[in-house]
Amino acid sequence: MIKVAVLGSRGRMGSEVVKAVTDASDLELVAALDLGDSLDTLVTAGAQVVVDFTTPDSVMANLEFLIKNNINAVIGTTGFDEARIAKIKDLLKSSKSGVLIAPNFAIGAVLMMEFAEKAAKYFESAEIIELHHPDKVDAPSGTAARTAELMTTARKSAGLSSMPDATTTSLDGARGAMVGEVPVHSIRLRGLVAHQEVLLGGPGETLSIRHDSLDRAGFMPGVLLGVRQVVSHKGLTFGLEHFM
């Protein structure tokens, strides 16, 4: 039985995680914390794995606490740039913790990223559209940014030249934000959950790769996979695909 705690337990994702852990026969929910609750509870409760779905502003302090107390972490919060990743790696040098940071926990979304990376080296043009609910605080999404990074690396390894684009004048943001070599367009609309479409094109053909998350319950199989695997993977793992 793995003892699990949840940070951000009253949020949309956190509450789903609480339910999923409670329903799992091999997991035990020992703490469900949110803003204002003491992290010391995680130690007294004997948490072996903590799932964090909080905010980019608070996740680093949470991670530092977990790593210093040798508690494993599964992180669904976004906002991890190279500087943050470097700091986490440095903290882990003197810890027994395993940390999983996943841009997306939906199995289909992980596969979408893998398919997009594979396809990117075969097409002259590529762009990403990501669509989320308007309560999301960051843009582009972590999933879109990670997808663009993977596609950029694939394009470079294939020796592709810059994408064709004759645009000479445009309003700021009209062509999206460049992540690596790939334009990313972010849409925030009431009624959406989490969606992403990768568009690729070459002479005489186009390819669309799309994933739709219709309910937050769809992320839970990936979260539980991360919880079960992170206890035996010390150090930092970036991306759920490494546990699949």
Side-chain angles (χ1 to χ4, degrees):
M1 188 76 72
I2 302 174
K3 294 183 177 180
V4 182
V6 179
L7 295 180
S9 62
R10 293 194 291 272
R12 293 177 181 86
M13 284 295 291
S15 60
E16 284 287 346
V17 176
V18 168
K19 182 178 183 300
V21 171
T22 301
D23 292 343
S25 60
D26 60 333
L27 307 177
E28 178 187 358
L29 183 69
V30 296
L33 308 183
D34 214 294
L35 187 65
D37 295 328
S38 172
L39 294 180
D40 292 332
T41 302
L42 303 173
V43 178
T44 57
Q48 296 170 275
V49 180
V50 170
V51 180
D52 185 305
F53 276 99
T54 55
T55 68
D57 291 335
S58 60
V59 67
M60 285 302 292
N62 295 341
L63 257 177
E64 187 168 353
F65 178 90
L66 298 174
I67 292 171
K68 287 184 176 180
N69 285 279
N70 297 309
I71 301 173
N72 302 297
V74 172
I75 308 298
T77 306
T78 57
F80 288 94
D81 55 17
E82 291 183 3
R84 285 190 166 195
I85 293 295
K87 182 176 181 180
I88 293 166
K89 288 180 177 178
D90 187 58
L91 289 169
L92 284 167
K93 290 177 181 178
S94 56
S95 174
K96 298 177 182 179
S97 298
V99 174
L100 167 65
I101 298 174
N104 201 308
F105 282 97
I107 301 300
V110 175
L111 293 173
M112 172 196 61
M113 288 187 277
E114 183 177 332
F115 299 157
E117 179 183 15
K118 185 173 183 178
K121 59 185 178 181
Y122 296 108
F123 290 89
E124 187 178 7
S125 299
E127 304 208 12
I128 295 172
I129 304 171
E130 58 97 347
L131 311 92
H132 284 78
H133 56 88
D135 299 318
K136 185 172 178 58
V137 298
D138 58 328
S141 69
T143 300
R146 178 61 175 161
T147 307
E149 290 166 0
L150 293 171
M151 293 172 69
T152 297
T153 300
R155 287 178 57 84
K156 288 180 178 178
S157 68
L160 296 185
S161 57
S162 299
M163 297 182 198
D165 187 349
T167 304
T168 56
T169 60
S170 67
L171 295 176
D172 289 344
R175 291 292 294 118
M178 294 299 295
V179 180
E181 297 179 354
V182 182
V184 179
H185 309 267
S186 297
I187 293 173
R188 298 293 176 263
L189 193 71
R190 185 66 68 198
L192 296 175
V193 179
H195 317 261
Q196 179 168 301
E197 186 168 11
V198 180
L199 304 171
L200 303 109
E205 66 171 339
T206 62
L207 172 66
S208 298
I209 305 170
R210 182 177 175 111
H211 177 261
D212 296 280
S213 291
L214 306 176
D215 189 288
R216 290 175 179 82
F219 297 107
M220 294 307 106
V223 171
L224 297 185
L225 173 63
V227 168
R228 293 173 177 128
Q229 291 291 321
V230 74
V231 292
S232 57
H233 290 76
K234 301 309 175 187
L236 176 63
T237 301
F238 194 90
L240 186 64
E241 63 271 17
H242 298 292
F243 290 171
M244 291 172 61

